[in-house]
Amino acid sequence: MKTTLLSAAVALTLAIGADFAQAENAAFTDHVVNSTSRGVAIDGFDPVAYFTQGAPAKGDRTIRHEYKDRVWLFSSAENRDLFAANPDKYAPQNNGWCSWAVAHEYAAEADFVNGWFIVDDKLYVTWSADVKERFLKDQDNLISQSHANWSTVHAGLQDGSLDKFGFHSSRPALGISHPQQLPETDS
């Protein structure tokens, strides 16, 4: 009898855990925001700081806001409140994925320190400073392409069908390292 009850309790726990994991996975695929493995959007950088300070700023773990099923960190409560009032104004285009990659119909990580720029009051991020410079040389065309391709790239990220994806860590031959210290490794 004890074995049967224990087995039933374990089965119930596993079922609930599986449902929770599935729900968590579903939330991830709803928006597919570029985030750390712990769900911190845009590597913990404050999206408002790009506009108000003209530079990247690390967010504070205690100053946060949830948007698109991710935690967004801010360097000040004022920036958090600006974002909360109008997240679409401050969140990077393409959910924080490299705009160059999206313009070319794939997804890639972004360099939130050196690969960002603002055009027409919209924040864009790219793979690196070099890719940013290449993007800006043909920005009107590439912005248009990234907007046109986003729904297809986003759908591929959601369902896992996107067959081309660039990770900084998987491209060491390019000499690119992830310049920002990720929140989960902060001390």
Side-chain angles (χ1 to χ4, degrees):
M1 179 72 171
K2 287 183 183 178
T3 304
T4 305
L5 288 175
L6 181 59
S7 296
V10 168
L12 181 61
T13 302
L14 289 174
I16 290 170
D19 286 344
F20 177 73
Q22 187 176 26
E24 195 170 74
N25 188 38
F28 174 77
T29 60
D30 284 348
H31 301 290
V32 200
V33 173
N34 188 349
S35 58
T36 69
S37 62
R38 294 186 180 176
V40 177
I42 67 170
D43 290 351
F45 283 86
D46 178 342
V48 177
Y50 295 103
F51 294 90
T52 60
Q53 297 173 19
K58 287 295 285 187
D60 181 318
R61 290 184 204 185
T62 64
I63 307 171
R64 52 180 55 214
H65 179 74
E66 188 171 317
Y67 174 66
K68 290 189 173 182
D69 303 315
R70 291 290 169 257
V71 173
W72 298 70
L73 303 180
F74 301 90
S75 57
S76 70
E78 180 182 9
N79 282 5
R80 179 202 52 218
D81 296 345
L82 285 169
F83 185 87
N86 191 358
D88 289 332
K89 176 178 178 165
Y90 298 105
Q93 300 299 292
N94 309 309
N95 284 353
W97 298 103
C98 173
S99 292
W100 171 275
V102 174
H104 292 89
E105 300 183 84
Y106 68 98
E109 291 181 343
D111 176 344
F112 297 104
V113 174
N114 302 305
W116 69 276
F117 58 93
I118 296 172
V119 173
D120 295 330
D121 292 322
K122 299 290 184 187
L123 175 62
Y124 294 86
V125 291
T126 62
W127 175 268
S128 65
D130 178 57
V131 172
K132 173 181 85 172
E133 294 307 316
R134 289 170 52 201
F135 192 102
L136 291 173
K137 288 178 183 175
D138 191 18
Q139 75 182 31
D140 292 339
N141 181 45
L142 292 171
I143 287 172
S144 178
Q145 284 180 276
S146 71
H147 289 300
N149 292 340
W150 174 239
S151 62
T152 302
V153 171
H154 187 248
L157 287 166
Q158 287 176 311
D159 66 17
S161 67
L162 193 66
D163 60 354
K164 187 173 180 192
F165 195 98
F167 293 97
H168 282 120
S169 59
S170 68
R171 306 296 297 269
L174 296 178
I176 298 170
S177 61
H178 213 37
Q180 51 269 14
Q181 185 178 4
L182 300 178
E184 55 225 346
T185 59
D186 281 351
S187 50

